[in-house]
Amino acid sequence: MPTSEPPPPEPVVRRGIPRRSFLFAGLAFGGTAVLSACVSNAAPESAATSTAGTTGAASSPAASNPGGQMVRIGFSAPAADHGWMASITDQARKVVEQYSDVQASFVEGTNDVNQQISQVETLINDGVDAIVLLPYDGAQMTDVARKAMDAGIEVVNVDRVFSSPLSYRTYIGGDNYGMGVSAGNFVGQRLKDAGAADPVIAEIQGIASLPLTVDRSKGFADALQTYGFSVTNQVSAEFTADSGEAITANLLQAAPKIDAIWNHDDDQGVGVLAAIEAAGRNEFFMVGGAGSANVMRSIKDDNTVLKATVIYPSTQAASGLELARLIVLEKGLSEIEELEVPKSFTLYSAVVTKDNVDSYLPSAFES
């Protein structure tokens, strides 16, 4: 998952995206597949698609928006070239369908920073009320986000944080250090329960030089240390299945016996598992990272070395859209005392096992 790598007062019923530890007031949006003008979700109580790429709304959020104010939200994210990133926009589109008081404009995902800057400038010129922005590069998108804020547009910064807090009204993102801690605690407790005295623990990173990888590895090491354990074999792949398979084949040759593996990313995990199966190795258990559906299905079936994965929510942009609506409507969150939406949200990295996998599968992404 190459990202520094997501849910309102009593919310309307949400489909496909489970309630998280925090809830926002009911909301809605619509979207288009390419750079476009805002599209109305004016037809209430209907989830029908009206025009190409335009999604209608299904539910009336009258309780949280009694005046029926229409909220215009622009959405921009990187290209869907990775299972997790593809799910970011898919989940956002699903949540849009649930609200009748939002007009949403989805611009085409891009990994070209200059193109994303141009897209955001177009949204500013269109006069949207809010922009939900997962930047390809947070630092390089900081100025255009600040330009939107200066124009009176509420910016919700998703996952990759801007260089200045003045460039966003609210930030929402995952917890890379927390992923490592969750994985380390699962591995450490399982090995401790098994009576392991000096276990061989392998770690398969994504791109080692990325800050997110550094954070994940530090969290993993810190958690293992509380059990008296440490990482014995650390290798790095490149967040792809091919790289995961190649690096794991080398790892297995170098380590004739392993007790546990944490693989940082479920997309590269496809290759990791292929290498493990090719080598006929099963003396260890493995923990995944990010929370893909195929990994969760393997955990549920309980017929591979995969016994858990740690979540890096792909629902965070969907939640960002809901937060943007609340901010524009000047609403807070129903389950805390504050009158306004908080400045920052760091999402929890839950551990998914066979016991709770059914709760997480509906919002998981396909690798």
Side-chain angles (χ1 to χ4, degrees), residues 186 190 284-286 294-308 353-355 357:
F186 181 87
R190 187 169 173 126
F284 50 80
F285 66 92
M286 187 169 91
N294 57 309
V295 162
M296 290 190 195
R297 287 190 288 268
S298 293
I299 292 169
K300 184 174 182 175
D301 292 342
D302 197 20
N303 56 7
T304 72
V305 296
L306 266 171
K307 300 305 175 188
T353 66
K354 184 179 179 181
D355 293 335
V357 65

Side-chain angles (χ1 to χ4, degrees), residues 43-251:
E45 313 302 337
S46 171
T49 297
S50 53
T51 58
T54 303
T55 306
S59 59
S60 173
S64 61
N65 186 10
Q69 176 184 345
M70 190 61 72
V71 180
R72 302 178 65 218
I73 302 176
F75 180 92
S76 176
D81 57 1
H82 182 277
W84 184 88
M85 190 61 78
S87 182
I88 279 287
T89 299
D90 290 344
Q91 298 280 5
R93 289 184 182 281
K94 287 179 182 177
V95 84
V96 165
E97 296 174 359
Q98 303 177 38
Y99 302 97
S100 60
D101 61 353
V102 171
Q103 295 174 324
S105 296
F106 284 73
V107 300
E108 185 175 11
T110 178
N111 292 339
D112 183 324
V113 172
N114 291 326
Q115 183 178 1
Q116 191 172 30
I117 289 172
S118 178
Q119 292 173 340
V120 172
E121 288 176 336
T122 298
L123 292 171
I124 294 171
N125 292 333
D126 286 346
V128 297
D129 299 310
I131 297 174
V132 176
L133 178 56
L134 196 167
Y136 179 72
D137 184 304
Q140 294 189 65
M141 294 296 293
T142 297
D143 288 345
V144 74
R146 177 65 185 274
K147 182 178 179 180
M149 288 288 288
D150 289 346
I153 297 171
E154 306 287 4
V155 175
V156 175
N157 180 194
V158 179
D159 194 47
R160 301 173 182 175
V161 66
F162 299 137
S163 300
S164 169
L166 299 177
S167 293
Y168 59 87
R169 165 58 179 80
T170 289
Y171 168 81
I172 181 169
D175 183 1
N176 287 295
Y177 179 82
M179 280 183 73
V181 170
S182 293
N185 283 332
F186 181 87
V187 169
Q189 188 62 54
R190 187 169 173 126
L191 291 172
K192 180 180 178 182
D193 291 345
D198 190 20
V200 176
I201 301 174
E203 179 183 7
I204 304 175
Q205 302 173 319
I207 299 173
S209 61
L210 294 180
L212 71 92
T213 300
V214 174
D215 288 345
R216 291 178 187 185
S217 290
K218 178 168 176 42
F220 189 53
D222 287 351
L224 288 178
Q225 189 174 33
T226 65
Y227 296 89
F229 302 145
S230 61
V231 173
T232 52
N233 299 73
Q234 186 183 71
V235 296
S236 58
E238 297 175 349
F239 291 114
T240 64
D242 288 345
S243 66
E245 183 171 4
I247 204 70
T248 303
N250 293 335
L251 167 67

Side-chain angles (χ1 to χ4, degrees), residues 4-7 20-24 84 156-161 168-182 215-216 311-317 319-320 323 333 336 341-350:
S4 65
E5 307 201 47
R20 297 292 177 186
S21 57
F22 57 93
L23 300 174
F24 320 114
W84 184 88
V156 175
N157 180 194
V158 179
D159 194 47
R160 301 173 182 175
V161 66
Y168 59 87
R169 165 58 179 80
T170 289
Y171 168 81
I172 181 169
D175 183 1
N176 287 295
Y177 179 82
M179 280 183 73
V181 170
S182 293
D215 288 345
R216 291 178 187 185
I311 297 292
Y312 195 88
S314 64
T315 48
Q316 54 190 273
S319 297
L323 289 169
L333 306 180
I336 62 175
V341 170
K343 176 74 173 181
S344 179
F345 294 86
T346 299
L347 303 175
Y348 181 65
S349 289

